[in-house]
Tab-separated table of all heavy atoms in Angstrom:
chain	number	residue	atom	x	y	z
V	196	TYR	N	82.791	92.256	108.453
V	196	TYR	CA	82.611	93.615	107.947
V	196	TYR	C	82.899	94.622	109.157
V	196	TYR	O	83.151	95.822	108.853
V	196	TYR	CB	81.227	93.861	107.564
V	196	TYR	CG	80.948	95.120	106.931
V	196	TYR	CD1	81.320	95.505	105.754
V	196	TYR	CD2	80.274	96.196	107.555
V	196	TYR	CE1	81.059	96.599	105.093
V	196	TYR	CE2	80.032	97.325	106.991
V	196	TYR	CZ	80.490	97.601	105.806
V	196	TYR	OH	80.163	98.770	105.303
V	267	ALA	N	79.213	102.577	96.897
V	267	ALA	CA	78.159	102.993	97.976
V	267	ALA	C	78.849	103.851	99.097
V	267	ALA	O	78.305	104.825	99.489
V	267	ALA	CB	77.537	101.816	98.614
V	268	ARG	N	80.071	103.637	99.400
V	268	ARG	CA	80.780	104.362	100.406
V	268	ARG	C	81.125	105.781	99.812
V	268	ARG	O	80.889	106.775	100.546
V	268	ARG	CB	81.980	103.603	100.924
V	268	ARG	CG	81.892	102.455	101.726
V	268	ARG	CD	83.100	101.728	102.011
V	268	ARG	NE	82.931	100.549	102.838
V	268	ARG	CZ	83.917	99.744	103.170
V	268	ARG	NH1	85.134	99.779	102.587
V	268	ARG	NH2	83.652	98.549	103.935
V	270	MET	N	79.582	107.381	97.593
V	270	MET	CA	78.262	108.142	97.444
V	270	MET	C	77.759	108.599	98.748
V	270	MET	O	76.615	109.292	98.857
V	270	MET	CB	77.370	107.358	96.560
V	270	MET	CG	77.710	107.125	95.119
V	270	MET	SD	76.648	106.144	94.215
V	270	MET	CE	75.165	107.225	94.171
V	271	GLY	N	78.421	108.275	99.835
V	271	GLY	CA	77.859	108.699	101.135
V	271	GLY	C	76.836	107.811	101.839
V	271	GLY	O	76.178	108.228	102.754
V	272	ALA	N	76.815	106.481	101.319
V	272	ALA	CA	75.862	105.523	102.001
V	272	ALA	C	76.312	105.316	103.470
V	272	ALA	O	77.502	105.116	103.554
V	272	ALA	CB	75.778	104.253	101.221
V	273	PRO	N	75.455	105.303	104.424
V	273	PRO	CA	75.866	104.857	105.742
V	273	PRO	C	76.397	103.384	105.785
V	273	PRO	O	76.274	102.605	104.925
V	273	PRO	CB	74.624	105.077	106.478
V	273	PRO	CG	73.570	104.841	105.503
V	273	PRO	CD	74.005	105.434	104.309
V	274	ARG	N	77.169	103.250	106.865
V	274	ARG	CA	77.808	101.892	107.114
V	274	ARG	C	76.759	100.761	107.220
V	274	ARG	O	77.031	99.730	106.568
V	274	ARG	CB	78.748	101.992	108.311
V	274	ARG	CG	79.555	100.772	108.547
V	274	ARG	CD	80.513	100.995	109.811
V	274	ARG	NE	81.221	99.781	109.950
V	274	ARG	CZ	82.541	99.792	109.341
V	274	ARG	NH1	82.952	100.633	108.613
V	274	ARG	NH2	83.392	98.631	109.683
V	275	GLY	N	75.649	101.101	107.746
V	275	GLY	CA	74.619	100.095	107.841
V	275	GLY	C	74.125	99.636	106.564
V	275	GLY	O	73.776	98.583	106.235
V	276	ALA	N	73.951	100.715	105.671
V	276	ALA	CA	73.437	100.265	104.270
V	276	ALA	C	74.491	99.445	103.559
V	276	ALA	O	74.088	98.575	102.748
V	276	ALA	CB	73.172	101.562	103.470
V	277	SER	N	75.827	99.836	103.640
V	277	SER	CA	76.834	98.977	103.024
V	277	SER	C	76.831	97.437	103.507
V	277	SER	O	76.956	96.562	102.780
V	277	SER	CB	78.202	99.642	103.158
V	277	SER	OG	78.312	100.872	102.586
V	278	SER	N	76.657	97.364	104.878
V	278	SER	CA	76.645	96.068	105.411
V	278	SER	C	75.309	95.313	105.048
V	278	SER	O	75.459	94.003	104.682
V	278	SER	CB	76.647	96.155	106.967
V	278	SER	OG	75.497	96.831	107.392
V	279	CYS	N	74.218	95.899	104.780
V	279	CYS	CA	73.174	95.100	104.279
V	279	CYS	C	73.228	94.822	102.806
V	279	CYS	O	72.806	93.619	102.610
V	279	CYS	CB	71.819	96.215	104.433
V	279	CYS	SG	71.213	96.481	106.018
Side-chain angles (χ1 to χ4, degrees):
Y196 191 75
R268 290 175 178 172
M270 295 176 64
R274 189 176 182 87
S277 300
S278 62
C279 290

